[in-house]
């Protein structure tokens, strides 16, 4: 089945700097790669996603890139703000049902 | 935001007792999921449902059962709780699977098994 690896597990940046989180996946049939943000005490929320026929997608300060050949995708956050502090999860679809398999998460801390 | 609620939000129980967690959604979503979240493991899929009375196993289904008698409700049951099932449980729903199937999560149920 699908295996999703996510790095780093923790990331600390200064406000205004950029943050990058990377994920790799194992199932070459995976075709959908969302990113979820989880704030303390809450459930995860979708922040951006990318489909396998697209190499890059951007939404204001966040962007996601996908390299299908290498089977890895990344989340880029520019001009980080304290409210970006949260746990971020990458995910990839698995199997014929298309259920999401999540990475183990990255705790991002943005220091003012 | 999708209306998805979980109950109870917190529960402490003893080893060997049965536990049922309830998930209720008001979006008429076809698909519902139960995940568990543990430090160092992220979110792992326990069971999912693709319609009323239609359920299937996820990555970590041993020791858990589910039922879905109505579109809006998805129950997770631990027949005989063990300490290894101490975790935060998240329910989610979606209108589709895979591409285009954004998951809407509840706020979680923290279960402690003593």
């Amino acid at each position: 089945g699908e295996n999703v690896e996510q790095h780093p597990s923790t990331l600390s940046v200064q406000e205004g700097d950029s943050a990058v989180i990377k994920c790799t996946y194992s199932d070459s049939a995976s075709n959908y790669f969302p990113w979820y943000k989880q704030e303390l005490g809450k459930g995860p929320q979708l922040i951006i996603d990318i489909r396998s026929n697209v190499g890059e997608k951007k939404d204001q300060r966040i962007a996601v890139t996908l390299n299908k050949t290498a089977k890895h995708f990344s989340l880029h956050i520019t001009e980080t703000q304290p409210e970006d502090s949260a746990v971020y999860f990458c995910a990839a679809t698995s199997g014929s049902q298309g259920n999401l398999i999540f990475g183990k998460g990255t705790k991002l801390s943005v220091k003012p | 935001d999708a209306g998805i609620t979980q109950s109870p939000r917190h529960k402490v129980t003893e080893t060997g007792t049965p536990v049922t967690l309830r998930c209720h959604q008001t979006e008429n979503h076809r698909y519902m999921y139960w995940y568990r979240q543990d430090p160092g493991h992220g979110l792992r899929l326990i069971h999912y449902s693709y319609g009323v009375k239609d359920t299937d196993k996820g990555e970590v289904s041993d020791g858990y059962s589910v039922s879905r008698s109505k579109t809006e409700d998805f129950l997770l049951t631990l027949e005989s709780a063990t300490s290894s099932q101490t975790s935060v449980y998240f329910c989610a729903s979606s209108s589709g699977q895979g591409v285009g199937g954004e998951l809407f999560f509840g706020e979680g149920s923290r279960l402690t098994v003593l």
Side-chain angles (χ1 to χ4, degrees):
Chain A
E2 175 71 281
N3 183 48
V4 178
E5 299 283 341
Q6 183 172 347
H7 299 279
S9 57
T10 60
L11 180 60
S12 182
V13 300
Q14 288 294 134
E15 182 177 359
D17 288 350
S18 296
V20 180
I21 303 170
K22 299 181 179 182
C23 289
T24 61
Y25 62 97
S26 60
D27 187 352
S28 57
S30 293
N31 60 0
Y32 176 62
F33 308 91
W35 287 86
Y36 283 78
K37 176 184 179 182
Q38 184 180 29
E39 296 178 344
L40 195 62
K42 299 197 172 185
Q45 280 192 307
L46 178 71
I47 55 170
I48 194 167
D49 57 14
I50 192 167
R51 304 184 181 193
S52 60
N53 59 346
V54 176
E56 183 174 357
K57 183 177 179 180
K58 189 174 182 180
D59 182 4
Q60 299 183 343
R61 294 186 299 109
I62 60 173
V64 57
T65 59
L66 171 65
N67 182 328
K68 284 217 72 180
T69 303
K71 288 193 259 185
H72 66 70
F73 55 112
S74 300
L75 177 71
H76 305 253
I77 306 174
T78 59
E79 302 173 18
T80 54
Q81 300 168 3
E83 51 264 39
D84 293 329
S85 296
V87 178
Y88 292 82
F89 291 97
C90 64
T93 50
S94 174
S96 59
Q97 296 295 327
N99 291 322
L100 290 179
I101 300 300
F102 286 84
K104 293 181 179 180
T106 296
K107 183 176 182 180
L108 173 65
S109 299
V110 180
K111 299 181 179 180
Chain B
D1 290 345
I4 184 162
T5 55
Q6 296 182 225
S7 60
R9 296 289 314 281
H10 300 273
K11 185 172 182 64
V12 179
T13 191
E14 294 189 347
T15 298
T17 59
V19 175
T20 295
L21 305 179
R22 179 177 183 252
C23 180
H24 180 78
Q25 54 108 350
T26 58
E27 301 299 311
N28 201 35
H29 284 166
R30 176 182 175 186
Y31 299 91
M32 297 186 75
Y33 309 82
W34 277 106
Y35 285 87
R36 60 177 289 175
Q37 183 175 21
D38 305 286
H41 291 278
L43 292 160
R44 291 181 291 174
L45 182 63
I46 304 171
H47 280 280
Y48 65 98
S49 169
Y50 46 97
V52 173
K53 298 192 189 308
D54 292 323
T55 65
D56 206 347
K57 297 178 180 181
E59 306 167 80
V60 290
S61 59
D62 287 350
Y64 302 95
S65 62
V66 290
S67 66
R68 191 163 178 208
S69 59
K70 297 186 289 185
T71 298
E72 57 266 36
D73 292 327
F74 193 33
L75 304 181
L76 177 70
T77 298
L78 291 66
E79 300 290 347
S80 178
T82 68
S83 58
S84 64
Q85 294 175 311
T86 292
S87 186
V88 180
Y89 292 86
F90 285 96
C91 176
S93 70
S94 68
S95 57
Q97 276 192 311
V99 174
E102 177 181 355
L103 296 185
F104 294 91
F105 285 86
E107 298 208 324
S109 295
R110 181 176 294 275
L111 175 67
T112 302
V113 183
L114 302 175

